């Protein structure tokens, strides 16, 4: 936002000649990512309208503004770590994407030369390999998850998670390839299917059958005793997916939990596991055919600001996936 948005917010909330706790939420939210200039403007405007501010509101504003500088320092420290590891991660991916060499993905699959050629060509044309641990430099007052809080957001994904590549988040389990999808669809297996939630614990039904080859949205916040459990119909993955720096597709497990990080609800950012990404968003699949690819809103914003990203559909086709006619990337911004 801007300093003018902050001033406008103060004008709105003081129309009734008082500033209460709810008004403080409005003021802080109006700033968006709170820059140093906006931080100064909030303090200046608060002093100007000090006579209208209720005691609880004054305390809340002082407390929240007191968190801004600390969070800004935390973001700078985290981004310094990201920068320090960038050269190593880039070199690792570059080696794996060398055309004409026998290389395997993070998940252990052979990387086809067609994929290597597609990815390296896009990177040479300016596509970005990014680290989801990178944070926006300025904190934001986030009111999207219940009680508002001052926090820092990821630059490329709202959640700057760093997960471990173990259990259901092992690279070999989350990796999508045509061969793995076909094998799952052609193999009779016994697995648990998520049937519901009781006392915040997932309930299951044991099923014997083949994988469906379907991927659609699955919203699951339950705790799981079986982190490899599937969605109804044998759906192995949720639609949250990413393309990692080695050119491979990965999707969040249907159970959205991993014993390696038991308290963490898995999101698209969880798929990074310390590696760089080339793309993240959503994927739909119907009986093994890719029917939808969406670019996450955060990437859409970066793209609108001039940043380039890979074409996920081209990479999907290079892997040999079957795709719906006319498949294109949907902007989810």
């Amino acid at each position: 936002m801007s300093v003018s948005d902050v001033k406008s917010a103060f004008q709105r909330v003081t129309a009734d000649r008082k500033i209460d706790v709810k008004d403080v939420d409005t003021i802080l939210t109006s700033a968006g990512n709170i820059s140093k200039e906006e931080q100064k403007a909030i303090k200046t405007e608060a002093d100007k309208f000090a006579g209208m501010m209720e005691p609880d509101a004054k305390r809340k504003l002082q407390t929240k503004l007191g968190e801004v500088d600390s969070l800004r320092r935390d973001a700078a420290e985290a981004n310094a770590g990201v920068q320090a590891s960038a050269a190593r991660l880039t070199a690792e991916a570059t080696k794996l994407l060398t055309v004409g060499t026998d290389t395997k993905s993070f998940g252990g699959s052979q990387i086809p030369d067609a994929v290597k050629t597609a990815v390296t060509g896009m990177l040479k044309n300016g596509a970005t390999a990014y680290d989801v641990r990178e944070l926006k430099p300025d904190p934001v007052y986030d009111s999207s998850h219940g009680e508002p809080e001052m926090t820092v957001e990821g630059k490329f994904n709202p959640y700057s998670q760093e997960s471990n590549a173990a259990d259901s988040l092992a690279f070999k389990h989350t990796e999508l390839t045509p061969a793995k999808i076909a094998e799952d669809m052609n193999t009779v297996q016994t697995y648990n299917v998520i049937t519901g939630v009781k006392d915040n614990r997932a309930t299951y039904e044991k099923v014997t059958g083949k994988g469906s080859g379907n991927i659609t949205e699955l919203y699951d916040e339950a705790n799981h005793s079986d982190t490899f459990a599937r969605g109804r119909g044998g759906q192995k993955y949720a639609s949250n997916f990413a393309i990692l720096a080695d050119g491979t597709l990965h999707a969040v497990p249907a159970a959205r939990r991993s014993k390696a990080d038991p308290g963490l609800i898995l999101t698209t950012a969880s798929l990074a596991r310390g590696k760089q990404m080339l793309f993240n968003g959503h994927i739909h699949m119907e009986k093994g055919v890719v029917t939808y690819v969406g670019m996450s809103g955060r990437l859409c914003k970066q793209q609108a600001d001039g940043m380039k990203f890979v074409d996920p559909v081209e990479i999907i086709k290079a892997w040999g996936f079957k795709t719906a006619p006319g498949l294109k990337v949907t902007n989810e911004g």
Side-chain angles (χ1 to χ4, degrees):
M1 295 294 184
S2 66
V3 169
S4 63
D5 292 309
V6 171
K7 292 181 178 181
S8 295
F10 269 94
Q11 290 296 329
R12 291 196 305 274
V13 302
T14 56
D16 59 358
R17 310 301 296 170
K18 67 180 179 66
I19 299 176
D20 59 22
V21 170
K22 291 284 187 184
D23 293 331
V24 170
D25 291 339
T26 299
I27 292 164
L28 293 174
T29 303
S30 72
N33 288 94
I34 302 174
S35 67
K36 291 181 179 179
E37 292 76 16
E38 289 166 329
Q39 182 182 359
K40 182 179 179 181
I42 293 171
K43 291 178 179 178
T44 299
E45 295 299 302
D47 288 341
K48 186 187 301 183
F49 294 100
M52 299 183 189
M53 195 168 293
E54 295 180 353
D56 287 348
K58 183 178 181 179
R59 282 193 293 271
K60 181 171 186 176
L61 184 60
Q62 289 175 337
T63 299
K64 295 305 177 183
L65 286 178
E67 298 171 4
V68 170
D69 289 333
S70 176
L71 287 170
R72 194 177 283 127
R73 288 192 295 270
D74 290 344
E77 183 178 343
N79 289 344
V82 167
Q83 186 62 38
S85 64
R88 173 181 56 82
L89 293 175
T90 298
E92 174 187 48
T94 299
K95 185 176 180 180
L96 294 178
L97 293 171
T98 303
V99 176
T101 61
D102 184 6
T103 59
K104 291 186 177 180
S105 69
F106 301 136
S109 297
Q110 204 80 25
I111 306 176
D113 274 354
V115 173
K116 297 176 182 179
T117 299
V119 172
T120 55
M122 294 177 207
L123 292 173
K124 286 179 181 178
N125 285 328
T128 303
Y130 57 92
D131 194 321
V132 292
R133 294 172 295 188
E134 183 174 350
L135 300 172
K136 290 185 176 182
D138 296 316
V140 65
Y141 193 59
D142 182 14
S143 58
S144 62
H145 300 286
E147 181 65 25
E149 62 175 346
M150 197 67 71
T151 185
V152 286
E153 295 183 329
K155 180 177 179 179
F156 298 97
N157 190 288
Y159 309 102
S160 179
Q161 297 175 345
E162 185 168 3
S163 302
N164 296 309
D167 190 57
S168 61
L169 268 184
F171 289 115
K172 65 180 180 181
H173 181 70
T174 62
E175 185 180 69
L176 308 178
T177 69
K180 286 186 174 185
I181 297 296
E183 181 182 12
D184 189 56
M185 291 175 65
N186 292 322
T187 303
V188 175
Q189 309 155 66
T190 298
Y191 48 78
N192 283 326
V193 168
I194 304 166
T195 57
V197 181
K198 184 177 181 180
D199 298 328
N200 203 36
R201 302 288 301 182
T203 56
Y204 310 110
E205 177 187 359
K206 194 170 289 294
V207 171
T208 297
K210 298 178 181 180
S212 65
N214 295 341
I215 299 177
T216 59
E217 283 88 356
L218 286 177
Y219 302 101
D220 176 40
E221 298 181 354
N223 290 312
H224 283 269
S225 58
D226 181 3
T227 52
F228 292 89
R230 301 191 180 206
R232 295 184 185 277
Q235 182 174 332
K236 192 174 181 178
Y237 304 102
S239 62
N240 307 69
F241 98 111
I243 298 177
L244 299 188
D246 62 350
T248 53
L249 280 67
H250 293 258
V252 170
R256 302 193 75 141
R257 294 279 184 168
S258 168
K259 289 179 181 177
D261 303 283
L264 183 69
I265 297 174
L266 303 180
T267 70
T268 311
S270 309
L271 297 171
R273 292 155 289 186
K275 306 298 184 183
Q276 291 175 331
M277 282 187 182
L278 302 176
F279 186 88
N280 71 86
H282 295 90
I283 189 169
H284 293 178
M285 190 176 288
E286 196 170 310
K287 296 181 180 179
V289 178
V290 180
T291 59
Y292 174 88
V293 177
M295 174 184 271
S296 76
R298 194 57 56 91
L299 259 60
C300 292
K301 175 63 168 62
Q302 299 294 342
Q303 184 172 257
D305 290 340
M307 193 170 285
K308 290 184 178 180
F309 296 97
V310 299
D311 180 348
V313 174
E314 186 175 336
I315 295 173
I316 287 168
K317 290 180 177 178
W319 270 103
F321 283 96
K322 297 176 182 178
T323 59
L327 179 67
K328 293 182 180 179
V329 182
T330 297
N331 184 318
E332 295 182 346

